[in-house]
Amino acid sequence: MDDDGKTARLIPPLTLIALLGIAGFAVPARPLHTAAGQVAAPWPHETSPTIDGAALDRLMARLPLDSQGQLIRDARTVEALGAAADGFGESIDDKAARRLRFLLSKGLPGPAGDQAGDLLLRYNTYRLALGERASPVSQAERERLQRRVFGVSDAEALFRQHNAMMKALAGEPAP
């Protein structure tokens, strides 16, 4: 990778760091970081959502983008979403969702930030739905859930490789 490519990949994380630094100066009466190292959103007069800044950085660094800054939907995207979702706990409330969408829209170029925010929230819904099942989820159930949460085209693009691998391991014929 040439130097321009390395520089281009550093811009989103550096933008997030700059935004978080500015937010810290905007609300000096409130600490920017919690004891757990999470970034506290500077919203006065409300219970502020806590966002794991490291998880958000991992997401922005790992999301695959094309040369025009468009989000590529494939297995790498699911891996990045999974790594980020692990840092956000059980659920993301409305205030945290708005904050995540804002930070991603500022940290990623063009529409990729908005797309990433939407996919992260849908992935979290998917992850929680899988965890709510009392018994192991069959591959067919998992694929139905993927289509319900992500839509047919996004589910196919995001989970094609994983689903094919799971079917091959189970000895099912490929479609």
Side-chain angles (χ1 to χ4, degrees), residues 20-92:
L20 293 175
I22 291 169
F25 289 114
V27 184
R30 186 163 172 206
L32 184 60
H33 296 281
T34 65
Q38 295 179 321
V39 179
W43 292 344
H45 313 298
E46 293 184 33
T47 304
S48 298
T50 302
I51 297 171
D52 185 343
L56 203 55
D57 282 343
R58 281 191 306 272
L59 176 64
M60 288 193 297
R62 294 177 70 185
L63 279 174
L65 304 176
D66 66 14
S67 60
Q68 287 81 34
Q70 296 288 325
L71 184 63
I72 299 170
R73 288 169 168 80
D74 63 13
R76 297 170 298 169
T77 307
V78 174
E79 288 178 26
L81 293 169
D86 289 343
F88 296 117
E90 281 300 308
S91 65
I92 300 173

Side-chain angles (χ1 to χ4, degrees), residues 58-127:
R58 281 191 306 272
L59 176 64
M60 288 193 297
R62 294 177 70 185
L63 279 174
L65 304 176
D66 66 14
S67 60
Q68 287 81 34
Q70 296 288 325
L71 184 63
I72 299 170
R73 288 169 168 80
D74 63 13
R76 297 170 298 169
T77 307
V78 174
E79 288 178 26
L81 293 169
D86 289 343
F88 296 117
E90 281 300 308
S91 65
I92 300 173
D93 65 17
D94 289 340
K95 288 181 274 186
R98 286 192 308 269
R99 188 73 179 152
L100 282 170
R101 287 179 188 270
F102 170 77
L103 291 172
L104 287 169
S105 72
K106 298 302 177 193
L108 291 170
D114 293 331
Q115 295 167 357
D118 179 56
L119 284 176
L120 177 60
L121 296 174
R122 287 194 284 159
Y123 184 83
N124 196 55
T125 299
Y126 169 71
R127 182 178 65 108

